[in-house]
Amino acid sequence: MKGAFKCLAVTATLWMSFFLIVDCYDPLDPNGNITIKWDINSWTPEGYVATVTIFNWQQYRHISTPGWLLGWEWTKKEVIWNMVGAQATTQGDCSAYHSDPIPHCCAPNPTVVDLLPGVPYNQQVSNCCRGGVISSYSQDPQTALSAFQITVGNAGTSNTTVALPVNFTLMTPGPGYSCGPPTKVPASQFPSTDNRRVTQAFMTWNITCTYLQNLAQRAPTCCVSFSTFYNPRITPCAECACACASNSTVTAMSGATESTDTCIDPNTQYDDLPAISTGDSIEKSSQPDILYCTRDMCPVKIHWHIKTNYKEYWRVKVTITNRDFSRNFTQWTLTLQHPNFDNFTEAFSFNYKGLNPYGIYSNDTAVFWGIKYFNDMLMQAGPSGNVQSELLFAKGKDFKFSNGWAFPHRVYFNGDDCVLPELQDYPTLPNSSPRLQMSITCRVSMAVIGLSLIVLFV
Ligand SMILES: *[C@@H]1O[C@H](CO)[C@@H](O)[C@H](O)[C@H]1NC(C)=O
Ligand SMILES: *[C@@H]1O[C@H](CO)[C@@H](O)[C@H](O)[C@H]1NC(C)=O
Ligand SMILES: *[C@@H]1O[C@H](CO)[C@@H](O)[C@H](O)[C@H]1NC(C)=O
Ligand SMILES: *[C@@H]1O[C@H](CO)[C@@H](O)[C@H](O)[C@H]1NC(C)=O
Ligand SMILES: *[C@@H]1O[C@H](CO)[C@@H](O)[C@H](O)[C@H]1NC(C)=O
Ligand SMILES: *[C@@H]1O[C@H](CO)[C@@H](O)[C@H](O)[C@H]1NC(C)=O
Ligand SMILES: *[C@@H]1O[C@H](CO)[C@@H](O)[C@H](O)[C@H]1NC(C)=O
Ligand SMILES: *[C@@H]1O[C@H](CO)[C@@H](O)[C@H](O)[C@H]1NC(C)=O
């Protein structure tokens, strides 16, 4: 009865935290956001030149290839005469211009993409040209931003006549962001490299965009499985964690992968898989995943194996498996919440940073990411489609293997909440399993019988 109440209470707590994530903000990164800063640096005879910078303040959510798309709406008849370090995706109708050259973009609602690395120097500004990829702030603050320069015409030429662009949108591969209204903020200051002189923008606007997990009402994309050294049982991912396997499997060479509710028969040999188009185009990132049929249908699985128990430490092996044949994950992140992270000692082949989302309460969260050129890319499903590391914890005062304490409370892959197994499926300690207990009793009684036999015969 007591157990049932405990289970109820835990389930209720889990549900409550689930709604917290869905409805408000991310509890593990409460201050995470993306800020767009629009600095007007000079006036021109009919407009201005501005530097637009996208800052990713999120601790573990990066923008992966094919990168960001930034859109907005002009409120007057503004045009973009020139851009450096990025480009508008469409030119729009510039037929009213007889000038040479004509504007770069006349659309009332431009959409801008970053340039690819390797463009000529005269088309670059600092922090541009990374193909729209922005790392998370934990992974690398130096590349957690992206910038371009824009020359705007028909725009007003003073701080009283210029108008703010509105209705900003930030699109990224995956769900996306909701951007607030632009607000005028104190002008940015730019210290010189030797810190002996400070210049400042003429005007600065900020736009804050926040990640909304429920923006697209998306199904989960990852699940968690468990195993331990003390129990041979492996707890698989929860059934239908991401979707339920459909009956319409795609067989080898049929190539019929258009439908989203199909999966590949797991008996299909790796070499016989239907041809998969590769590349990083923006259209491709919205294509459905190509997976083997599994009971959870998750593209990514995180496995937490409790490996070793030492006197003062315990060791966990974490494996991230890509089960998607159509996707490589570059600059992946794994975020783990576990009460023992305040005594975390070492990660053997991942980089990591402790997060302290609530400061005063506890340091129970850490973000992990790959080591550059070694395992920072999680390859498509197949023989090399996994990355792994061992984590070493010093036993904190609350340490115990019982009651599922040694399993993570929350797991995020690339900032997406992963589905944990059902509580009743968690591996248990041998002495709390009646079947194992019986066999121990059995062994003990056999030993007693054996001993008495030896005594009898000697
Ligand atoms: C955006 O993030 C920064 C850095 O974490 C934080 O200082 C700022 O308050 C956040 N802004 C909003 C509107 O949440
Ligand atoms: C505007 O955004 C920049 C970049 O994120 C940030 O450093 C600055 O503090 C923001 N200004 C205000 C007033 O929020
Ligand atoms: C911005 O979006 C709002 C709401 O969708 C719309 O009413 C408004 O007309 C848009 N502004 C411009 C300049 O298009
Ligand atoms: C415009 O700039 C002038 C001079 O720098 C300043 O006094 C004034 O407050 C500014 N007006 C607005 C609307 O920002
Ligand atoms: C698969 O087929 C079985 C039997 O035809 C059916 O009961 C089941 O609902 C199907 N499952 C799905 C996901 O379509
Ligand atoms: C993943 O990366 C490898 C190596 O760069 C490449 O050969 C492969 O085509 C990529 N796969 C996909 C699905 O993009
Ligand atoms: C675990 O962390 C707590 C709080 O940070 C500290 O007081 C304690 O000494 C640590 N224990 C070990 C074994 O490192
Ligand atoms: C969390 O970490 C911060 C900074 O390392 C430290 O000042 C604080 O005492 C820690 N809190 C706990 C509960 O361990």
Side-chain angles (χ1 to χ4, degrees):
M1 211 48 204
K2 214 173 130 198
F5 270 120
K6 201 165 183 178
C7 179
L8 256 176
V10 174
T11 316
T13 320
L14 280 177
W15 270 103
M16 268 155 61
S17 41
F18 177 71
F19 281 116
L20 258 180
I21 299 174
V22 169
D23 286 342
C24 312
Y25 58 91
D26 186 341
L28 299 187
D29 190 11
N31 296 317
N33 62 48
I34 292 185
T35 322
I36 299 157
K37 192 160 68 82
W38 191 292
D39 287 313
I40 297 182
N41 292 323
S42 60
W43 301 116
T44 64
E46 53 141 356
Y48 61 83
V49 180
T51 300
V52 180
T53 315
I54 304 171
F55 291 88
N56 185 8
W57 296 113
Q58 299 177 109
Q59 296 289 358
Y60 44 76
R61 231 172 243 125
H62 66 303
I63 298 181
S64 60
T65 186
W68 52 262
L69 282 174
L70 181 66
W72 63 82
E73 290 174 34
W74 296 119
T75 50
K76 301 203 274 183
K77 291 258 177 276
E78 290 95 331
V79 292
I80 302 172
W81 277 105
N82 188 31
M83 282 183 93
V84 187
Q87 60 187 357
T89 55
T90 54
Q91 185 172 37
D93 178 8
C94 290
S95 61
Y97 286 82
H98 298 277
S99 58
D100 181 29
I102 57 170
H104 174 78
C105 172
C106 304
N109 52 349
T111 300
V112 171
V113 303
D114 195 10
L115 298 180
L116 294 171
V119 297
Y121 280 113
N122 63 358
Q123 292 172 34
Q124 295 189 14
V125 292
S126 52
N127 297 313
C128 84
C129 314
R130 299 191 190 114
V133 171
I134 305 184
S135 58
S136 68
Y137 196 74
S138 292
Q139 274 170 303
D140 184 8
Q142 307 288 320
T143 54
L145 76 175
S146 193
F148 60 89
Q149 195 189 69
I150 184 171
T151 305
V152 184
N154 288 348
T157 55
S158 75
N159 66 359
T160 49
T161 54
V162 73
L164 279 68
V166 298
N167 293 355
F168 277 81
T169 55
L170 180 65
M171 281 171 282
T172 59
Y177 291 81
S178 128
C179 297
T183 48
K184 194 166 175 267
V185 299
S188 300
Q189 311 252 318
F190 308 106
S192 63
T193 43
D194 61 3
N195 264 323
R196 289 161 69 90
R197 179 179 148 79
V198 174
T199 51
Q200 84 175 57
F202 290 5
M203 267 184 102
T204 301
W205 300 318
N206 268 14
I207 300 101
T208 301
C209 304
T210 48
Y211 180 85
L212 293 174
Q213 291 219 347
N214 66 337
L215 200 63
Q217 289 292 342
R218 223 166 49 130
T221 55
C222 49
C223 63
V224 186
S225 57
F226 294 149
S227 61
T228 63
F229 68 85
Y230 53 77
N231 187 335
R233 184 179 144 71
I234 296 172
T235 301
C237 280
E239 190 153 14
C240 296
C242 297
C244 295
S246 80
N247 287 340
S248 52
T249 58
V250 178
T251 47
M253 314 316 271
S254 76
T257 53
E258 300 87 35
S259 164
T260 47
D261 57 356
T262 55
C263 49
I264 297 171
D265 182 341
N267 298 317
T268 312
Q269 292 293 309
Y270 182 65
D271 293 335
D272 293 340
L273 291 173
I276 292 157
S277 73
T278 55
D280 286 327
S281 68
I282 287 169
E283 305 84 70
K284 195 188 157 283
S285 75
S286 59
Q287 279 176 11
D289 302 316
I290 301 175
L291 311 174
Y292 275 142
C293 303
T294 55
R295 51 180 256 140
D296 54 78
M297 289 305 290
C298 291
V300 173
K301 182 175 87 165
I302 320 291
H303 186 74
W304 175 279
H305 174 66
I306 300 177
K307 190 179 172 188
T308 323
N309 183 21
Y310 306 103
K311 192 157 172 276
E312 284 166 9
Y313 296 89
W314 58 294
R315 186 190 277 257
V316 170
K317 180 174 178 180
V318 170
T319 308
I320 310 175
T321 309
N322 185 1
R323 300 144 105 209
D324 189 341
F325 293 97
S326 56
R327 245 175 265 283
N328 288 334
F329 294 95
T330 48
Q331 293 187 20
W332 56 267
T333 61
L334 175 70
T335 308
L336 297 169
Q337 186 183 33
H338 188 281
N340 213 164
F341 271 120
D342 59 348
N343 290 94
F344 186 62
T345 309
E346 197 175 349
F348 289 93
S349 38
F350 291 168
N351 288 309
Y352 78 95
K353 184 182 166 208
L355 298 184
N356 191 5
Y358 296 106
I360 47 170
Y361 299 131
S362 67
N363 301 328
D364 65 354
T365 307
V367 52
F368 297 86
W369 66 97
I371 294 168
K372 205 164 182 171
Y373 307 123
F374 172 56
N375 59 5
D376 63 333
M377 172 139 99
L378 175 57
M379 296 284 276
Q380 66 194 69
S384 43
N386 66 80
V387 292
Q388 43 188 269
S389 177
E390 298 201 348
L391 313 181
L392 188 66
F393 294 89
K395 289 181 180 173
K397 59 178 185 326
D398 297 328
F399 172 83
K400 58 178 183 250
F401 280 130
S402 56
N403 291 341
W405 187 87
F407 297 105
H409 291 187
R410 234 190 261 273
V411 176
Y412 285 7
F413 179 75
N414 279 352
D416 285 341
D417 205 356
C418 301
V419 178
L420 291 167
E422 305 283 348
L423 278 175
Q424 71 267 19
D425 293 340
Y426 277 38
T428 49
L429 276 173
N431 62 9
S432 55
S433 146
R435 203 155 46 98
L436 273 174
Q437 211 165 24
M438 193 106 82
S439 74
I440 288 169
T441 324
C442 207
R443 257 177 267 164
V444 168
S445 44
M446 272 164 73
V448 169
I449 293 169
L451 265 180
S452 38
L453 278 177
I454 291 168
V455 169
L456 264 180
F457 280 102
V458 167

